[in-house]
Amino acid sequence: MASKQAPHERRKGEAALSDFAEYVERQQALRYPNKAAQSQTATTSAAAGPNSTLSSKIAPEVEHHAELDDILDSLNLSEPGPRIRLRDLLLSAPDDDASLQKLADIVGERLDEGHGESVFDIGFENHGESLKLTKEDWEVAYKRLSQAAAQIDADCQLLLTKNLGGDLDGTPTRDGDVSGKVMIRRRPSAAEEVIETRIAVVGNVDAGKSSMLGVLVKGDLDDGRGRARVNLFRHKHEIETGRTSSVGMEIMGFDSHGQTILSDTPGRKLSWEEIGKRSAKVITFTDLAGHERYLRTTVFGLLSSSPNYCLLMVAANNGLIGMSKEHLGIALALNVPIMVVITKIDICPPNILEQTITQITRILKSPGARKIPIFIKNHEECINTATQFVSQRICPIFQVSNVTGENLSLVRSFLNILPHHGRYDADAPFEFHVNDTFSVPHVGTVVSGIVKSGVIHAGDEVYLGPDGLGKFTTTAIRSIERKRIGVPAASAGQSASFALKRVKRKDVRKGMVVLSKTESGPPKVYREFIAEVLILSHATTIKTKYQAMLHVGPVSQTCAIIDVDRPFIRTGDRATVAFRFVQRPEYLVPGDRLLFREGRTKGLGIVKSVGYDPERPLGGVNVGEGGDKVAAGVEDVKHEGGGNEVKVGA
């Protein structure tokens, strides 16, 4: 049996995690470049080639900082011509149509950048200088902004004011200038224009994940015995035990005015179609299992749903225990921004709650996480933190009760103005990852998942694969649905379901991809690939022939290590490793993030290149017979790490 990891080894793994996460983020920027950096990245990528190691050398030059971009944009350094001051546009005469049109153009640009929504600061120029507004000026400016938003089919919601007075007024400033934050959101003309944000909900068993989602979605409070969560369960045994064992999905809608979409009848849960048709923004919650027995399902849900954010639930009376630490580590490894919700504060003694808060603060500030915990206790803190949440260093923490409803309004406000986060390229070739398959009567085979890049329309011909032999089949998109509403197209970053023509359900599995049809034919897939990995925890050493369960997006398959660039690797080590899929080849692209685990062993990495040439080993020594033995897929391989036998497909 593997010995428990020593504290100093665990600390070594934690310290290496944050450095590796930054490296992964740079590689992701190469795969999904921002528009501003696209031309520069394209030039460097062309010089390097897809499988070249040069990409790792040039990565620091194209390192991207969202906050730095925002600062440079606000300073207007890139614009040679003079800009019209915002004050002049906001306080222009009521009959000045030219100024109103210019203001509408500025608002439209911001909505395009924010994927359909933006928080507008009335009271400050773009570069941060105060407009020195009085209360009378403010009324004129807010009315003018609302008129400009209406011109481009958008609505305004007042979030926070300063020195104005009223329910939404925050802490007054010394200068007495009136200012405020306004959420501007487009009214979608069709279902495909609805803004979508995906949040993975994780935490230990009995932390209250399903109960809180039930309360948020239905609007009713819990009775303390789990009434709110019953509608979220998918299986009979989940209702009986109260424990989630599958990947559950729930949606919560907000209209263009920022109001939550709820049923007029108390206790009634709206259907997805009703929410989708009435919403301008939809939050998709992926409710993941908290029990250790279902860790594989939880890891699959975390990687396959491509979450924009991660919501970690912690029970106030239990603290950060069991699988919640595991889930937090996976979220950190995936570079997903994290928010924490402490539940059950109504039944928790104050001293135990204090211990839980101290523990969470200590873990978030540790070298492995390097987060700044911000406890949100009022409306002003909620608005300010949500608008700054593009910074991955911030970790907002809420303390709520699903029974009394305490602070739930803060969580709803936070979710409403949560900015869009994620890298997606709508101009790249179409790529869709299959997370689930269904057989629908009178429709046929349906696949659901995430559009990673590009745009697809109903009727388009596509490739589906790879099958067990690595082959792709040609099919066509019969119809497309988003949140159970039929749409004509789906684009990068959206979750969607496709009905496929001429395909049987038994021929489709999780982990397959749907790709746009090209003249060059379907891509070649490989059984082997090379990745840069970091070992987060392992009791002894890892060498070739070691096998573990590997997760890459929706792909979950046993992999064997066939080559390493050094004799062995331990906890905290970074290495270049060649893997071989044991069962079948898979579609991978350089830049894909991966996670592998086996028992207490955990590691993460990023794909550097696909394919492997035994004539050019990573460590400079031929792999020889051992690698071929693993390639044959022997069922029982004694690995040098822990000495345990690993069954293929376990």
Side-chain angles (χ1 to χ4, degrees), residues 514-528:
V514 178
L515 305 171
S516 55
K517 198 171 181 185
T518 57
E519 293 179 5
S520 56
K524 187 178 179 184
V525 293
Y526 296 86
R527 199 177 271 260
E528 301 91 2

Side-chain angles (χ1 to χ4, degrees), residues 104 107 144-156 184 187:
V107 172
R144 200 69 172 154
L145 183 65
S146 301
Q147 289 173 340
Q151 279 205 349
I152 54 172
D153 292 326
D155 289 313
C156 291
I184 307 175
R187 297 190 289 265

Side-chain angles (χ1 to χ4, degrees), residues 19 111 127 176 229 314 422-423 440 523 537 555 559 562 572 576 589 603:
D19 294 336
L111 292 184
H127 50 71
R229 69 190 178 197
V314 181
R423 284 202 176 93
V440 180
S537 64
V555 173
C559 260
I562 54 172
T576 304
V589 177

Side-chain angles (χ1 to χ4, degrees), residues 310-349:
C310 188
L311 183 59
L312 177 66
M313 307 282 269
V314 181
N317 51 351
N318 290 336
L320 209 58
I321 57 166
M323 298 310 294
S324 51
K325 291 182 181 177
E326 189 93 18
H327 298 159
L328 176 61
I330 295 169
L332 289 169
L334 295 175
N335 276 9
V336 180
I338 298 163
M339 42 191 152
V340 178
V341 172
I342 302 173
T343 59
K344 306 184 183 181
I345 60 170
D346 55 307
I347 60 168
C348 183

Side-chain angles (χ1 to χ4, degrees), residues 201 204-233 238 241-244 250 269 285 287-288 311 313 341 343-344 346 400-403 405 408 412:
V201 183
N204 198 48
V205 66
D206 302 332
K209 299 184 292 299
S210 300
S211 293
M212 176 150 175
L213 290 191
V215 169
L216 286 175
V217 170
K218 283 171 62 179
D220 294 342
L221 297 175
D222 191 32
D223 63 352
R225 294 178 176 82
R227 184 182 66 182
R229 69 190 178 197
V230 172
N231 286 331
L232 276 71
F233 289 143
E238 293 181 328
T241 62
R243 289 178 176 173
T244 307
E250 276 304 319
K269 182 166 168 275
F285 294 104
D287 185 16
L288 300 170
L311 183 59
M313 307 282 269
V341 172
T343 59
K344 306 184 183 181
D346 55 307
V400 306
S401 166
N402 296 322
V403 176
L408 278 173
R412 286 196 182 95

Side-chain angles (χ1 to χ4, degrees), residues 239-261:
I239 297 171
E240 290 168 352
T241 62
R243 289 178 176 173
T244 307
S245 66
S246 58
V247 178
M249 300 288 280
E250 276 304 319
I251 67 171
M252 179 181 181
F254 295 96
D255 62 17
S256 55
H257 294 281
Q259 301 303 310
T260 312
I261 305 295

Side-chain angles (χ1 to χ4, degrees), residues 352-366:
I352 303 296
L353 178 61
E354 195 61 40
Q355 288 176 17
T356 300
I357 289 171
T358 305
Q359 179 204 22
I360 291 172
T361 305
R362 191 181 72 248
I363 289 175
L364 289 174
K365 286 182 175 178
S366 68

Side-chain angles (χ1 to χ4, degrees), residues 92-169:
S92 57
D95 57 351
D96 189 349
D97 293 337
S99 293
L100 184 63
Q101 185 57 50
K102 284 175 183 170
L103 183 59
D105 292 341
I106 291 173
V107 172
E109 285 175 19
R110 294 202 185 180
L111 292 184
D112 290 338
E113 289 171 11
H115 302 271
E117 63 181 9
S118 177
V119 175
F120 199 100
D121 266 316
I122 299 182
F124 298 95
E125 290 285 355
N126 284 338
H127 50 71
E129 180 188 340
S130 174
L131 299 183
K132 301 196 178 300
L133 298 179
T134 63
K135 288 186 180 182
E136 292 74 22
D137 291 340
W138 161 267
E139 297 295 341
V140 173
Y142 183 56
K143 186 178 179 182
R144 200 69 172 154
L145 183 65
S146 301
Q147 289 173 340
Q151 279 205 349
I152 54 172
D153 292 326
D155 289 313
C156 291
Q157 178 198 5
L158 188 57
L159 301 174
L160 183 72
T161 58
K162 290 287 179 79
N163 305 314
L164 183 66
D167 296 338
L168 297 176
D169 218 36

